[in-house]
Amino acid sequence: MAFRGRLRLAAVALALTALGGVALAAEPEKAVTGKLQTDKPLGVVELFTSQACSSCPPADEFFAELAGKDDIIALAYHVNYWDYLGWQDTLSNKENTERQYDYMRAFGSRSVYTPQAVINGRSHVNGASRKDVDGALARMDRTGEGMRVGIKVSRTSDRVMIDAGDAGNGPTDAHVVIVYFDPPQMVKIGQGENSGRSLTYWNAVSDIQTAGMWHGKAQRYELPMTEIAKKGGCAVLLQSVGKDGMPGPILGAAFIHKPDRL
């Protein structure tokens, strides 16, 4: 299923509304506390992994380091196509697998694999290779393929405001994608290739929603705090979409809420 169709529009209960930069908050805004507010992080790392894959633990361990950094938006998508090896990934879902297949088509690849790290929605590398991941992030930052649009997050007692910046002479259309993820959790694997191992998984994606459109100009989007409070963590991606509906480059990103402990 195509990226455009699968990332379903946020439900009415989500009440995410584009306000065209006009603040409607009833009380003064304040920045998200701690180090959660990020204007232009170094980049976005999306790791496709599986508890059933013996090649993934080194990537999961490296990913845990990335997830602890404030200048990287690190998201782990657990896929389900290795479940037949004897262990059903407890964090996997078909939407995560579909997102990886969408990237495969967008990159013109013939197959998917784990551990795969997609960098800024633009290219992919071996998710266990620190050299390749760090190198791709640094190269894209240097060549202007990093985060080009600032995303700022602020809040009041009952709402979160997401302010997407102006593109200037850059791209003019993108989806505002809300990615929910679980807090870090330890999983004891009982069967399969990693049987007997206890591994801690960070930022495992549980849900993805397309919440609106951005058209190159500064714009505000609003989200109820009650919705954020239900989730372990939450990030926003400003991601372009190809004419065929496949995911494109990520132009901006920020954490809305980032769990920091087990």
Side-chain angles (χ1 to χ4, degrees):
M1 186 182 298
F3 176 75
R4 191 199 318 260
R6 195 186 72 254
L7 296 184
R8 56 191 181 279
L9 292 175
V12 174
L14 196 59
L16 185 62
T17 307
L19 301 177
V22 179
L24 297 181
E27 57 185 295
E29 299 174 17
K30 56 184 177 181
V32 175
T33 56
K35 298 182 179 179
L36 305 186
Q37 179 174 339
T38 305
D39 186 6
K40 290 183 181 179
L42 177 62
V44 177
V45 177
E46 297 177 276
L47 176 68
F48 292 91
T49 185
S50 173
Q51 296 169 6
C53 168
S54 61
S55 299
C56 286
D60 297 322
E61 292 174 5
F62 173 44
F63 179 84
E65 296 180 31
L66 296 175
K69 296 183 177 182
D70 293 317
D71 64 342
I72 294 177
I73 307 300
L75 303 167
Y77 299 81
H78 286 245
V79 298
N80 58 14
Y81 50 79
W82 293 126
D83 288 357
Y84 77 93
L85 294 176
W87 176 257
Q88 184 173 345
D89 192 309
T90 60
L91 300 172
S92 69
N93 60 61
K94 64 182 181 65
E95 288 78 14
N96 290 349
T97 303
E98 289 170 357
R99 182 166 174 83
Q100 187 180 26
Y101 272 91
D102 282 349
Y103 270 131
M104 179 196 75
R105 299 182 186 99
F107 295 145
S109 303
R110 294 185 177 182
S111 61
V112 295
Y113 64 94
T114 55
Q116 180 189 40
V118 175
I119 312 298
N120 295 346
R122 294 178 179 271
S123 68
H124 63 96
V125 298
N126 181 348
S129 173
R130 182 185 301 270
K131 177 181 177 181
D132 289 347
V133 173
D134 288 346
L137 285 166
R139 182 181 67 255
M140 290 184 191
D141 184 55
R142 186 173 60 250
T143 59
E145 295 180 312
M147 301 295 98
R148 302 174 61 180
V149 179
I151 302 290
K152 293 184 178 180
V153 177
S154 58
R155 73 186 185 192
T156 65
S157 60
D158 63 349
R159 70 193 75 183
V160 170
M161 279 69 70
I162 302 167
D163 288 287
D166 194 285
N169 295 324
T172 57
D173 289 294
H175 284 183
V176 179
V177 181
I178 307 299
V179 183
Y180 295 101
F181 55 88
D182 294 332
Q185 56 188 291
M186 182 177 291
V187 176
K188 184 174 182 179
I189 300 174
Q191 299 180 36
E193 294 186 344
N194 293 316
S195 179
R197 302 188 68 166
S198 293
L199 301 170
T200 300
Y201 294 101
W202 290 75
N203 298 8
V205 172
S206 58
D207 193 19
I208 313 171
Q209 297 177 335
T210 298
M213 290 291 296
W214 172 85
H215 299 292
K217 299 297 182 181
Q219 190 164 345
R220 168 168 288 185
Y221 306 86
E222 194 169 298
L223 184 70
M225 277 296 297
T226 52
E227 188 68 20
I228 298 298
K230 297 176 184 177
K231 312 294 183 179
C234 186
V236 57
L237 307 179
L238 196 64
Q239 185 163 28
S240 59
V241 180
K243 293 181 179 179
D244 55 2
M246 295 298 106
I250 296 172
L251 310 176
F255 283 116
I256 299 174
H257 173 61
K258 180 184 176 183
D260 58 1
R261 62 180 182 272
L262 288 172

Coordinates of all heavy atoms in Angstrom, one line a residue, residues 16 31-33 35-38 73 151-155 159-162 176-181 211 221-225 227-229 232-237 253-259:
L16 N -5.8 17.6 15.5 CA -4.7 18.3 15.0 C -5.1 19.3 13.9 O -5.6 18.9 12.9 CB -3.6 17.3 14.5 CG -2.3 17.9 14.1 CD1 -1.6 18.5 15.3 CD2 -1.4 16.8 13.5
A31 N 8.1 26.7 26.2 CA 8.9 25.7 25.4 C 8.7 24.3 26.1 O 8.6 24.3 27.3 CB 10.3 26.1 25.3
V32 N 8.8 23.3 25.3 CA 8.8 21.9 25.9 C 10.0 21.8 26.9 O 11.1 22.2 26.6 CB 8.9 20.9 24.8 CG1 9.0 19.5 25.4 CG2 7.7 21.0 23.9
T33 N 9.7 21.3 28.0 CA 10.7 21.2 29.1 C 11.9 20.3 28.7 O 11.7 19.4 27.9 CB 10.1 20.8 30.4 OG1 9.5 19.6 30.2 CG2 9.1 21.8 30.9
K35 N 15.3 18.9 27.2 CA 16.0 19.1 25.9 C 15.2 18.5 24.8 O 15.7 18.0 23.8 CB 17.4 18.4 26.0 CG 18.3 19.0 27.0 CD 19.6 18.3 27.0 CE 20.6 18.9 28.0 NZ 21.9 18.2 28.0
L36 N 13.9 18.5 24.9 CA 13.0 17.9 23.9 C 12.8 18.8 22.7 O 12.5 18.3 21.6 CB 11.7 17.5 24.5 CG 11.8 16.6 25.7 CD1 10.4 16.2 26.2 CD2 12.7 15.4 25.5
Q37 N 12.9 20.1 22.8 CA 12.6 21.0 21.7 C 13.8 21.0 20.8 O 14.9 21.2 21.2 CB 12.3 22.4 22.1 CG 12.1 23.3 21.0 CD 11.6 24.7 21.4 OE1 11.1 24.8 22.6 NE2 11.8 25.7 20.6
T38 N 13.6 20.7 19.5 CA 14.7 20.7 18.5 C 14.3 21.5 17.3 O 13.2 21.2 16.7 CB 15.0 19.2 18.1 OG1 15.3 18.5 19.3 CG2 16.2 19.2 17.2
I73 N 16.9 12.3 15.5 CA 15.5 11.7 15.7 C 15.7 10.2 15.3 O 15.8 9.9 14.1 CB 14.5 12.4 14.8 CG1 14.5 13.9 15.1 CG2 13.1 11.9 15.1 CD1 14.2 14.4 16.5
I151 N 11.7 22.9 12.8 CA 10.4 22.4 13.5 C 10.6 22.8 15.0 O 11.5 22.3 15.6 CB 10.2 20.9 13.4 CG1 10.1 20.5 11.9 CG2 8.9 20.5 14.1 CD1 8.9 21.0 11.2
K152 N 9.7 23.6 15.5 CA 9.8 24.0 16.9 C 8.5 23.5 17.6 O 7.4 23.6 17.1 CB 9.9 25.5 17.1 CG 11.2 26.0 16.6 CD 11.4 27.5 16.9 CE 12.7 28.0 16.4 NZ 12.9 29.5 16.6
V153 N 8.7 22.9 18.8 CA 7.6 22.4 19.6 C 7.5 23.2 20.9 O 8.5 23.4 21.6 CB 7.9 20.9 20.0 CG1 6.7 20.4 20.9 CG2 8.0 20.1 18.7
S154 N 6.3 23.7 21.2 CA 6.0 24.4 22.5 C 4.7 23.8 23.0 O 4.0 23.1 22.3 CB 5.9 25.9 22.2 OG 4.9 26.2 21.3
R155 N 4.3 24.2 24.2 CA 3.1 23.7 24.8 C 2.5 24.6 25.8 O 3.1 25.4 26.4 CB 3.3 22.3 25.4 CG 4.1 22.4 26.7 CD 4.5 21.0 27.2 NE 5.1 21.0 28.5 CZ 5.7 20.0 29.0 NH1 5.8 18.8 28.4 NH2 6.3 20.1 30.2
R159 N -2.3 21.6 25.4 CA -2.0 21.4 24.0 C -0.5 21.6 23.6 O 0.2 22.2 24.4 CB -2.9 22.4 23.2 CG -2.4 23.9 23.3 CD -3.4 24.8 22.7 NE -4.6 25.0 23.6 CZ -5.7 25.7 23.3 NH1 -5.8 26.3 22.2 NH2 -6.6 25.8 24.2
V160 N -0.2 20.9 22.5 CA 1.2 21.0 22.0 C 1.1 21.8 20.7 O 0.2 21.5 19.8 CB 1.8 19.7 21.8 CG1 3.1 19.7 21.0 CG2 2.0 19.0 23.1
M161 N 2.0 22.8 20.4 CA 2.0 23.5 19.2 C 3.3 23.1 18.4 O 4.4 23.0 19.0 CB 2.1 25.0 19.4 CG 0.7 25.6 19.7 SD 0.0 25.1 21.3 CE 1.0 26.0 22.4
I162 N 3.1 22.7 17.2 CA 4.1 22.3 16.3 C 4.3 23.4 15.2 O 3.3 23.6 14.4 CB 3.9 21.0 15.6 CG1 3.7 19.9 16.6 CG2 5.0 20.6 14.6 CD1 3.1 18.6 16.1
V176 N 2.8 16.3 7.2 CA 3.2 16.4 8.6 C 2.9 15.0 9.2 O 1.7 14.7 9.3 CB 2.4 17.5 9.3 CG1 2.8 17.6 10.7 CG2 2.7 18.9 8.6
V177 N 3.9 14.3 9.5 CA 3.7 12.9 10.0 C 4.0 12.8 11.4 O 5.1 13.2 11.9 CB 4.6 12.0 9.2 CG1 4.4 10.5 9.6 CG2 4.4 12.1 7.7
I178 N 3.0 12.3 12.2 CA 3.2 12.1 13.6 C 3.6 10.6 13.9 O 2.8 9.7 13.4 CB 2.0 12.4 14.4 CG1 1.5 13.8 14.1 CG2 2.2 12.3 15.9 CD1 2.5 14.9 14.4
V179 N 4.7 10.3 14.5 CA 5.2 9.0 14.7 C 5.2 8.7 16.2 O 5.9 9.4 17.0 CB 6.6 8.8 14.2 CG1 7.0 7.3 14.4 CG2 6.6 9.1 12.7
Y180 N 4.4 7.8 16.7 CA 4.3 7.4 18.1 C 5.2 6.2 18.3 O 5.3 5.3 17.5 CB 2.9 7.0 18.5 CG 1.9 8.2 18.4 CD1 1.1 8.3 17.3 CD2 1.9 9.1 19.4 CE1 0.2 9.3 17.2 CE2 1.0 10.2 19.3 CZ 0.1 10.3 18.3 OH -0.7 11.3 18.2
F181 N 5.9 6.2 19.5 CA 6.8 5.1 19.7 C 6.8 4.7 21.2 O 6.4 5.5 22.1 CB 8.3 5.3 19.3 CG 8.9 6.6 19.9 CD1 9.5 6.6 21.1 CD2 8.8 7.8 19.2 CE1 10.1 7.8 21.6 CE2 9.3 9.0 19.7 CZ 10.0 8.9 20.9
A211 N -1.0 13.9 9.6 CA -1.8 14.9 10.4 C -2.1 16.1 9.6 O -3.0 16.9 10.0 CB -1.1 15.3 11.7
Y221 N 0.6 23.8 13.8 CA -0.3 22.6 13.9 C -0.5 22.4 15.4 O 0.4 22.6 16.2 CB 0.3 21.4 13.3 CG 0.6 21.6 11.8 CD1 1.8 22.1 11.5 CD2 -0.3 21.3 10.8 CE1 2.2 22.4 10.2 CE2 0.0 21.6 9.5 CZ 1.3 22.1 9.2 OH 1.6 22.3 7.8
E222 N -1.7 22.0 15.8 CA -2.0 21.9 17.3 C -2.5 20.5 17.6 O -3.2 19.9 16.9 CB -3.1 23.0 17.6 CG -3.3 23.2 19.1 CD -4.2 24.4 19.3 OE1 -3.8 25.5 18.8 OE2 -5.3 24.2 19.8
L223 N -2.0 20.0 18.7 CA -2.3 18.7 19.2 C -2.6 18.7 20.7 O -2.0 19.3 21.5 CB -1.0 17.8 19.0 CG -1.1 16.3 19.3 CD1 -1.9 15.6 18.3 CD2 0.3 15.7 19.3
P224 N -3.7 17.9 21.1 CA -4.1 17.9 22.5 C -3.0 17.2 23.3 O -2.5 16.1 22.9 CB -5.4 17.1 22.5 CG -5.9 17.1 21.1 CD -4.7 17.2 20.2
M225 N -2.7 17.7 24.5 CA -1.8 17.1 25.4 C -2.3 15.7 25.8 O -1.5 14.8 26.1 CB -1.5 18.0 26.6 CG -0.5 19.0 26.4 SD 1.2 18.4 26.1 CE 1.5 17.6 27.6
E227 N -3.6 13.5 24.1 CA -3.2 12.4 23.1 C -1.8 12.1 23.3 O -1.4 10.9 23.3 CB -3.5 12.9 21.7 CG -3.3 11.9 20.6 CD -4.4 10.8 20.7 OE1 -5.4 11.0 21.3 OE2 -4.1 9.7 20.1
I228 N -0.9 13.0 23.5 CA 0.5 12.8 23.8 C 0.7 12.0 25.0 O 1.6 11.1 25.1 CB 1.3 14.1 23.9 CG1 1.2 14.9 22.5 CG2 2.7 13.9 24.2 CD1 1.7 14.2 21.3
A229 N -0.1 12.3 26.1 CA 0.1 11.6 27.4 C -0.2 10.1 27.3 O 0.3 9.4 28.1 CB -0.8 12.3 28.4
G232 N 4.1 6.5 24.7 CA 5.4 6.5 25.3 C 6.2 7.6 24.8 O 6.9 8.3 25.6
G233 N 6.2 7.9 23.5 CA 7.0 9.0 22.9 C 6.4 9.4 21.6 O 5.5 8.7 21.1
C234 N 6.8 10.5 21.1 CA 6.2 11.0 19.9 C 7.2 11.9 19.2 O 7.9 12.7 19.8 CB 4.9 11.8 20.3 SG 3.9 12.3 18.9
A235 N 7.2 11.8 17.8 CA 8.0 12.7 17.0 C 7.2 13.2 15.8 O 6.2 12.6 15.5 CB 9.3 11.9 16.5
V236 N 7.6 14.3 15.3 CA 7.0 14.8 14.1 C 8.0 14.9 13.0 O 9.2 15.3 13.2 CB 6.4 16.2 14.3 CG1 7.4 17.2 14.8 CG2 5.7 16.8 13.1
L237 N 7.6 14.4 11.8 CA 8.5 14.4 10.6 C 7.8 15.2 9.5 O 6.6 15.1 9.3 CB 8.7 13.0 10.0 CG 9.2 11.9 11.0 CD1 9.3 10.6 10.2 CD2 10.5 12.3 11.6
A253 N 12.3 17.7 11.4 CA 11.9 16.8 12.4 C 12.1 17.3 13.8 O 13.0 18.1 14.0 CB 12.6 15.4 12.2
A254 N 11.4 16.8 14.7 CA 11.6 17.1 16.1 C 10.9 16.1 17.0 O 9.9 15.4 16.6 CB 11.1 18.5 16.4
F255 N 11.4 15.9 18.2 CA 10.6 15.2 19.2 C 9.5 16.0 19.8 O 9.8 17.2 20.1 CB 11.6 14.7 20.3 CG 12.4 13.5 20.0 CD1 13.8 13.7 20.0 CD2 11.9 12.3 19.7 CE1 14.6 12.6 19.6 CE2 12.7 11.2 19.3 CZ 14.1 11.4 19.3
I256 N 8.4 15.4 20.0 CA 7.3 16.1 20.8 C 7.4 15.6 22.2 O 7.3 16.4 23.1 CB 5.9 15.8 20.2 CG1 5.8 16.3 18.7 CG2 4.8 16.4 21.0 CD1 4.6 15.9 18.0
H257 N 7.6 14.3 22.4 CA 7.9 13.8 23.7 C 8.8 12.7 23.6 O 8.7 11.8 22.7 CB 6.6 13.3 24.3 CG 6.8 12.6 25.6 ND1 7.3 13.2 26.7 CD2 6.5 11.3 26.0 CE1 7.4 12.3 27.7 NE2 6.9 11.1 27.3
K258 N 9.9 12.6 24.4 CA 10.9 11.7 24.3 C 11.2 11.0 25.7 O 11.8 11.6 26.5 CB 12.2 12.3 23.8 CG 13.4 11.4 23.7 CD 14.6 12.2 23.3 CE 15.9 11.3 23.2 NZ 17.1 12.1 22.9
P259 N 10.8 9.8 25.9 CA 11.1 9.1 27.1 C 12.6 8.9 27.3 O 13.3 8.7 26.3 CB 10.4 7.7 27.0 CG 9.5 7.9 25.8 CD 10.0 8.9 24.9

